[in-house]
C-alpha cells in the first residue's frame, strides 16, 4: 500500500486522491463494471460508463447509499467511540 501513496513519477503534481480514484476506476474497468473512453484532446479527457454488468449494480449501490444515509448518525457515533477508546 505504501507504493500507492507515493506520487507516480510520471504524474508529478497530481494529488494522491486523484491517483487513488483513477486506480479504483481502472479496477472497475478490469472487472467489466465500467468502460473507459479516452479522447485525444487538449486538455486530455476521459469518460467512464457503466457496462451492462455495471448497470446490474445500480439498484444495489442506491440501496447501500440510502442505508448509509439512514444510519449516518449511528456510524459517526461508532467512529467516535472507536477513536476515543
Amino acid at each position: 500500500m505504501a507504493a500507492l501513496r507515493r506520487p507516480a513519477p510520471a504524474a508529478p503534481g497530481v494529488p494522491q486522491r486523484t491517483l487513488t480514484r483513477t486506480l479504483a476506476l481502472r479496477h472497475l474497468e478490469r472487472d467489466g463494471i465500467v468502460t473507459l473512453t479516452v479522447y485525444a484532446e487538449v486538455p486530455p479527457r476521459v469518460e467512464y460508463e457503466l457496462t451492462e454488468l455495471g448497470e446490474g449494480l445500480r439498484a444495489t449501490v442506491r440501496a447501500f447509499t440510502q442505508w448509509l444515509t439512514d444510519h449516518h448518525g449511528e456510524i459517526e457515533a461508532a467512529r467516535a467511540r472507536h477513536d476515543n477508546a
Side-chain angles (χ1 to χ4, degrees):
M1 290 304 279
L4 294 177
R5 291 189 195 103
R6 277 187 251 127
V14 177
Q16 179 61 41
R17 186 174 184 170
T18 300
L19 294 173
T20 302
R21 283 183 182 163
T22 301
L23 182 61
L25 286 168
R26 295 297 173 116
H27 284 289
L28 292 173
E29 179 186 17
R30 180 174 180 245
D31 292 343
I33 307 298
V34 299
T35 58
L36 167 66
T37 304
V38 179
Y39 297 92
E41 300 176 354
V42 175
R45 180 171 64 103
V46 298
E47 289 182 359
Y48 287 89
E49 184 176 1
L50 287 174
T51 62
E52 186 175 333
L53 181 63
E55 285 290 344
L57 287 171
R58 189 181 293 273
T60 301
V61 171
R62 282 189 178 152
F64 181 64
T65 302
Q66 185 60 54
W67 182 90
L68 288 171
T69 300
D70 294 345
H71 297 279
H72 179 74
E74 296 165 79
I75 293 167
E76 288 298 316
R79 287 177 179 170
R81 284 191 305 274
H82 180 272
D83 292 347
N84 294 323

